[in-house]
Amino acid sequence: MNIATVPPLVPDRSQRTPDDAARRALLQELQLKIALAVEGISFVPEDLRQFPIGTEYAEQIHLLFDMDRHHHGDVELPANFYLPHGLFAQFRWDPESRFQLRAEDGKPVLYRDGERLVDIAFYRRPDLLRLHTSDGESFEHIAAFTPEGGIQVCYSNECDLKLSGDDCKYCNINSTADAYRHDRIFLKTPQQVAEVYAAAHARGLANHINITGGFIPERREVDYYLDVADEIRARTGVAEIHGTAVIGAPLDLRVIERYREAGYTTIAMNLEIWNRDIFRAICPGKEKRCGGWEHWVKALETAAEVFGRGNVRSNIVAGIEPKDSILQGVEYLAAHGVLCYAGAWCPNPGSALEGHRSPEPAWHYDLTLKAATIFHRHGYKTAQLYGGLGASTPFHDAFRILGGENEGDHLPQYRHRQVS
Ligand code: SF4
C-alpha cells in the first residue's frame, strides 16, 4: 500500500481535524515498525556494549518465545524502544538484517543499508524487576512490565504438546525454554504471580495482566487460573482481575464461565490459522486436544456470549495462509464479538518452520490497516483492543491512527485505566 494516499479517518472520529501530513508521518512510522519486526535488526557489537542493557534499559526476557533470528545465550539484547513519533517497537535481532543499530554519542540510532534512518529511545528497565518473591524468585523470571501499566506472565514456559510431537509448527516455546534454561523457571506458582501483581498494584502499575503459557499436562489450566485469581484478590482486594486469561479451547465449553466467575475481564484463545485444512497441518496438537477447528471457533463465540462483545481475543499467525483467508477470519470473528489479531509471523529459531520467511513488510502493513478498518467498522473501541491484548501492537497503532487519536504527528503512549 502506498501511503501517499492516506486512508480516511473513521466516520465517528470525523469531528477531529484531519491532518494528513501528521497521519502520513505516523503511518510511515508504522510501516517502519512492521518492517523492523519482520526483518529484524542487526547491531555492531562494540556499539551495543555502550548501552547499559539489563540495568538502565530493559533487556529481553524470554518468558515464552524467542523472537530473534537465533538464540543468543548470555548476550543481553534490548527489549523495546520508542520510534520518533511515539510508536513502541520490539527489538528482534537478525544478524543479516539491512536495519542496523549503532551508537552515536552514546545514543541509539537506526540505519538502513548504511544510511542513517532515525534516533530511537530504549525502554527503561522497570524498577520492579529488581524485586524478589518471598520464596526468593526474581521478578524478572516471572513477569514483564509494559509501558501501558500492565504485566505479562507466562505461567508455564514449556508446552506439553512436545511429548507427542504435536507442537504447532511455527512455535518455539520448548526450544526457548531449553536455550535459556539456566535462568528460567518452568511453572510459576499462583502465589508467586500474585506477589508480583500485588507489588505492581501497590505502585499503581498492575492495571492489566495477561496470563499465558504452553499446554500443561492434563489441561489443568482452569484450576491454575482460578488459584491465581484467588491469590490476587486475597493480596489486593480487587474485585475483578482486569486482564486476560489465555487458554486453549476447552472441550467442555461450560468451563469458560468459570474464568468469568473467577473475575477475569477478558479471555483469549488463539486459533492461529483460519483455513481449517492448514490449521490441521500447522497446529496438530490444537486440532487433537481441543476438539478441532470448528470447536475452537465455537469456543470463541461462546466466550463472546459469556464475557461480552469485544472482551474476547484471538490471533492468527499472519503469513502462513493467504491474506484473504486471514481477513475472512478477522471479519467473521469481529462480527461475532471477537477481536482477532494477525501478528506477523516471525519464523522463530527452534520451530519446525525455522529458516522459512515471513511475507514482505508491505504485505503485513496492508493486512494491518485492513484489520484495523474491520475493527472500526464493527464499532470496537480502543479500550476493548487493549482490554484483550494489553500491548501496543501494530494493530493498536493503526486503529488509533485511523481513529484520529494522534496528537499532531505523535501517538501518545496508551495507559490502562487504573485498577483499584
Ligand atoms: S499450543 Fe502451540 S503455540 Fe501454544 S505453546 Fe503449545 S506449541 Fe506453542
Side-chain angles (χ1 to χ4, degrees), residues 65 159 161 166-168 170-174 213-215 272 286:
F65 310 122
C159 181
L161 293 180
D166 288 327
D167 312 38
C168 303
Y170 52 79
C171 178
N172 72 347
I173 187 170
N174 293 311
F215 279 26
E272 316 292 18
K286 291 193 179 205

Side-chain angles (χ1 to χ4, degrees), residues 8 21 27 78 80 107 161 172 175 210 227 258 277 302 309 325 357 362 366 373 377 380:
L27 290 170
N80 305 90
K107 302 237 171 62
L161 293 180
N172 72 347
S175 172
N210 187 76
D227 288 348
R258 295 182 63 196
D277 296 322
T302 303
R309 191 174 175 279
S325 173
R357 288 187 176 216
D366 181 55
T373 302
R377 182 156 40 73
Y380 292 107

Side-chain angles (χ1 to χ4, degrees), residues 263-372:
Y264 293 98
T265 53
T266 60
I267 196 165
M269 288 174 260
N270 292 326
L271 179 61
E272 316 292 18
I273 300 285
W274 184 250
N275 178 290
R276 63 193 74 193
D277 296 322
I278 302 176
F279 175 80
R280 267 195 290 275
I282 296 290
C283 303
K286 291 193 179 205
E287 168 78 15
K288 288 179 194 168
R289 298 231 198 149
C290 302
W293 185 93
E294 285 80 4
H295 187 75
W296 271 92
V297 175
K298 180 71 186 156
L300 286 163
E301 293 171 3
T302 303
E305 288 163 15
V306 173
F307 279 78
R309 191 174 175 279
N311 297 325
V312 181
R313 180 235 300 181
S314 194
N315 185 65
I316 291 172
V317 180
I320 295 177
E321 65 190 301
K323 191 190 295 177
D324 283 355
S325 173
I326 296 170
L327 288 169
Q328 276 173 21
V330 173
E331 178 76 49
Y332 178 91
L333 290 171
H336 289 80
V338 178
L339 284 159
C340 180
Y341 299 87
W345 173 36
C346 170
N348 296 334
S351 69
L353 296 178
E354 178 179 3
H356 288 235
R357 288 187 176 216
S358 195
E360 301 282 338
W363 186 97
H364 287 290
Y365 176 69
D366 181 55
L367 174 71
T368 303
L369 288 189
K370 285 178 173 154

